[in-house]
Amino acid sequence: ALNIGETDTDAVIEGEAVITNARDVTLSASSKNDMQTFAGGGSAGATAVTPVVAITVSNNDTRAILEGLTDDTSGDPQAMSLTRNLSASASHSGLVEGMAEGDTKSGETGVGISLALTIGTDDVLATTNRDLNAGGSIAFNARSAGANRAEAKASVAGGDGTAASANDGDNQGGG
C-alpha cells in the first residue's frame, strides 16, 4: 500500500499589495491532517511467501506570510503602516501512521516479510518580507505538533512436526 499526502495551507498578503488606513491586520493559517495506511496479506501452502509493504509519505506546509513591498519609482523597500496591531500565525497538527501485517501458514517452508515506512514532513512558518510600522504590537507565531508511527508484523506458522534426525539415528533437535 502506498499513501502520499500533500497539503499547503497559506494566509498571504501578496508582494506589492498595498494596505492603507488599516487599524489591525491578522493573518492566520491553520491545518490538521491525519493519515493512516494499512497493508495486510497472507499466504498458505507447502511453500509460502508473504511480502507486505506499507509506505506513508506526508508533506504539510502551513504559512502566514507578508510578502515584499517596494517603492514603484525607486525600487527601495517600502514600509507597511498600521495604526494598531499586526498578528501573523501559522499552526499545524498531524498524525502519520503506517502498518504492515503479514500472516504465512506453511506445510514445509514459509517466509514472512513485513515493512512499514512512514515519512512525515511538516513545515510551519510565520514571517514577513516587508518593513513594518505599527502603533501597537507586532506578533509572529508558528506552532507545529506532530507524531509519526510505523509498525510491521510478520508471522510464519506450520512446518513438519517430525523431529529431524541424523543418519546415525541421533535426534538433532529439529522439526
Side-chain angles (χ1 to χ4, degrees), residues 16 18 69-78:
E16 304 311 319
V18 177
L69 180 62
T70 55
D71 185 280
D72 289 338
T73 56
S74 68
D76 292 335
Q78 184 176 339

Side-chain angles (χ1 to χ4, degrees), residues 102-171:
D103 184 19
T104 306
K105 296 190 178 8
S106 170
E108 294 179 20
T109 304
V111 177
I113 300 170
S114 292
L115 170 71
L117 175 63
T118 298
I119 301 169
T121 305
D122 299 326
D123 291 322
V124 179
L125 176 68
T127 191
T128 185
N129 292 324
R130 61 175 67 188
D131 295 339
L132 300 170
N133 294 321
S137 65
I138 297 176
F140 289 90
N141 300 294
R143 178 184 174 276
S144 180
N148 299 322
R149 183 173 159 271
E151 181 178 335
K153 296 178 184 179
S155 66
V156 176
D160 190 352
T162 307
S165 60
N167 288 338
D168 62 8
D170 288 337
N171 185 352

